Amino acid sequence: MAKKALVTGILGQDGPYLAQHLLSQGYKVYGMIRRYSNPNFENLEYLNLMNEIEYVDGDLTDEASLMGAIKFIRPDEVYNLAAQSFVGGSWEQAKLTTEVNALGVLHLLNAIKYFAPTSRFYQASTSEMFGLGLNKHDGMQDEGTPFHPRSPYGVSKVYAYWMTVNYRESYKMFAANGILFNHESPIRGIQFVTRKISDGVARIKLGFAKELHLGNMDSMRDWGFAGDYVKAMHLMLQQDEPDDYVVATGENHSVREYAELAFKHVGLNWKDYVKTDPRFQRPAEVPNLKGNSEKARKKLGWEPTVSFPDLVAMMVDADLKRVEKRNR
Ligand code: NAP
Ligand code: GDD
């Protein structure tokens, strides 16, 4: 019989890529969606998956809805990708961010504990938990680096991380944290800097915009391709023992470098179009993320396959097509 996987956050960026990977491995995939007046299936449509998923209703802030879903599906694997995932918005909506990202995970762990205790659980943890933390030896972050989160988002994810570890230790649940560094794709949310730039470049190139307003251009991120990263999530749940893993490329670049490459890809100079704008500065910044994913590479056999320049080109090309189509 096909394995059953429940994916929360199915309409986001990672949900569709993970669903695509699980379907290719023969899984039956259930996707959780919350009540919305007008749900947006664009990302699933982008990968042609809309009709491949069985949808279940649920909201991480509503424990009973999660119990209902887990009891109904009794999944072999649960991937918790749902979150208020925008760091920049987490100061304005700190309580909501906490309710979804922190308490929501507790709700889901309880639902699994009561109704599917042998189900394997993946928690979408993040490099934002490290914040200012750096590994003393190489200036990178790995599984042993102390957490020093810098945003309500980062703080909420630290709670979820430790709750996942705690349920593993307390109830012997198969619960794993993937500590993923930034990963992007053509279906990345438009607020995130890489997609904001690729969309801005496309609109400028095609004559629909004149400038692009950005915040901190010095910020350094370790950017990989989402399609690679979801494979690490799956591998974590196929191991003999549950554990926590950093997933990263090991290379980082500044926002400025990303913008420079993206504009160059369409024959433009970023300096002619980018304006720095204090509205996009954060109250506290994470200046430098670079992950050491040696453990994932050795134990899971995971490797990233898309280089930084190829990722930038992939995103700009996809937005050029999108903007052209929208305005045809
Ligand atoms: P995303 O595009 O923002 O998707 C998040 C999804 O969560 C959306 O589909 C959203 O639903 C859903 N959601 C939000 N609140 C919910 C609630 N109360 N109940 C149920 N669903 C809810 O995020 P992503 O980039 O795919 O990231 C997936 C996960 O990995 C997130 O937990 C994120 O924090 C974490 N993460 C991401 C990265 C990265 O670089 N992408 C790195 C490390 C960790 P709607 O579509 O209805 O809004
Ligand atoms: N969004 C945004 N918009 N960011 C900007 C801008 C802008 O106009 N200008 C500069 N930046 C800088 C931010 O200050 C930050 O340092 C960096 O670009 C990346 O910002 P985002 O793309 O919003 O991502 P993030 O690193 O804050 O968070 C993402 O990665 C985390 C993993 O490290 C999200 O996907 C999180 O959910 C994820 O956990």
Side-chain angles (χ1 to χ4, degrees):
M1 216 170 75
K3 273 195 192 174
K4 292 182 284 186
L6 169 63
V7 179
T8 71
I10 193 74
L11 302 183
Q13 171 188 249
D14 291 2
Y17 280 106
L18 177 62
Q20 185 181 52
H21 182 60
L22 293 173
L23 288 163
S24 78
Q25 304 289 309
Y27 281 71
K28 177 164 177 56
V29 177
Y30 294 81
M32 182 176 285
I33 46 180
R34 55 181 169 156
R35 159 82 179 100
Y36 232 73
S37 52
N38 191 9
N40 183 350
F41 289 84
E42 209 176 294
N43 290 350
L44 281 170
E45 268 171 20
Y46 186 87
L47 297 181
N48 225 351
L49 294 175
M50 260 203 70
N51 300 323
E52 309 298 320
I53 315 283
E54 181 159 337
Y55 300 101
V56 288
D57 293 326
D59 191 305
L60 285 197
T61 59
D62 182 345
E63 194 169 17
S65 73
L66 305 180
M67 293 203 170
I70 297 287
K71 198 173 165 192
F72 167 68
I73 302 167
R74 305 225 186 245
D76 298 289
E77 295 170 12
V78 177
Y79 295 87
N80 181 37
L81 309 185
Q84 189 305 89
S85 75
F86 185 46
V87 175
S90 71
W91 280 272
E92 283 74 39
Q93 299 198 351
K95 184 165 181 260
L96 175 80
T97 302
T98 306
E99 280 170 358
V100 178
N101 299 2
L103 290 181
V105 177
L106 175 62
H107 296 160
L108 191 49
L109 284 164
N110 279 335
I112 295 169
K113 180 180 150 212
Y114 290 125
F115 295 108
T118 57
S119 176
R120 295 184 167 207
F121 176 73
Y122 173 86
Q123 166 57 16
S125 286
T126 163
S127 46
E128 268 295 304
M129 300 187 306
F130 295 124
L132 292 182
L134 286 180
N135 183 323
K136 289 200 178 68
H137 309 294
D138 57 9
M140 293 167 85
Q141 292 96 6
D142 63 20
E143 293 81 1
T145 303
F147 297 146
H148 182 151
R150 294 273 281 170
S151 62
Y153 169 84
V155 174
S156 71
K157 286 284 189 173
V158 170
Y159 172 93
Y161 170 92
W162 282 116
M163 234 1 142
T164 301
V165 172
N166 184 258
Y167 270 50
R168 178 166 84 214
E169 292 175 351
S170 304
Y171 306 116
K172 310 285 172 255
M173 282 168 58
F174 193 111
N177 282 290
I179 308 174
L180 272 51
F181 282 60
N182 299 50
H183 45 280
E184 319 295 313
S185 73
I187 56 171
R188 180 60 143 150
I190 196 81
Q191 286 178 307
F192 300 94
V193 77
T194 53
R195 182 72 204 293
K196 182 174 167 182
I197 296 173
S198 62
D199 174 69
V201 165
R203 286 187 301 113
I204 290 169
K205 178 68 183 173
L206 297 172
F208 297 105
K210 290 197 164 37
E211 47 192 41
L212 177 63
H213 289 230
L214 296 172
N216 179 12
M217 305 281 294
D218 296 323
S219 181
M220 305 282 290
R221 288 291 180 273
D222 179 331
W223 279 297
F225 171 52
D228 285 340
Y229 285 42
V230 297
K231 292 181 183 158
M233 299 175 186
H234 177 244
L235 284 167
M236 283 176 217
L237 298 199
Q238 313 314 308
Q239 304 307 302
D240 292 338
E241 298 295 332
D243 207 344
D244 310 313
Y245 298 87
V246 159
V247 178
T249 70
E251 189 184 306
N252 68 355
H253 301 271
S254 65
V255 172
R256 185 176 295 101
E257 278 175 87
Y258 186 100
E260 190 175 348
L261 261 188
F263 277 94
K264 202 166 163 200
H265 186 65
V266 297
L268 300 176
N269 185 341
W270 71 279
K271 288 183 182 159
D272 298 332
Y273 303 96
V274 173
K275 311 274 175 238
T276 49
D277 187 332
R279 283 180 304 156
F280 301 109
Q281 300 275 350
R282 295 175 178 179
E285 179 62 282
V286 172
N288 188 10
L289 289 175
K290 183 153 76 154
N292 176 345
S293 59
E294 209 179 303
K295 180 174 169 185
R297 289 172 198 246
K298 278 202 180 127
K299 288 198 165 175
L300 306 177
W302 176 84
E303 287 286 338
T305 66
V306 178
S307 70
F308 178 65
D310 287 350
L311 178 65
V312 178
M314 181 201 299
M315 292 181 70
V316 173
D317 287 340
D319 272 317
L320 283 168
K321 277 199 193 130
R322 240 191 226 119
V323 174
E324 229 173 5
K325 196 172 159 196
R326 205 184 302 139
N327 292 287
R328 206 175 284 148

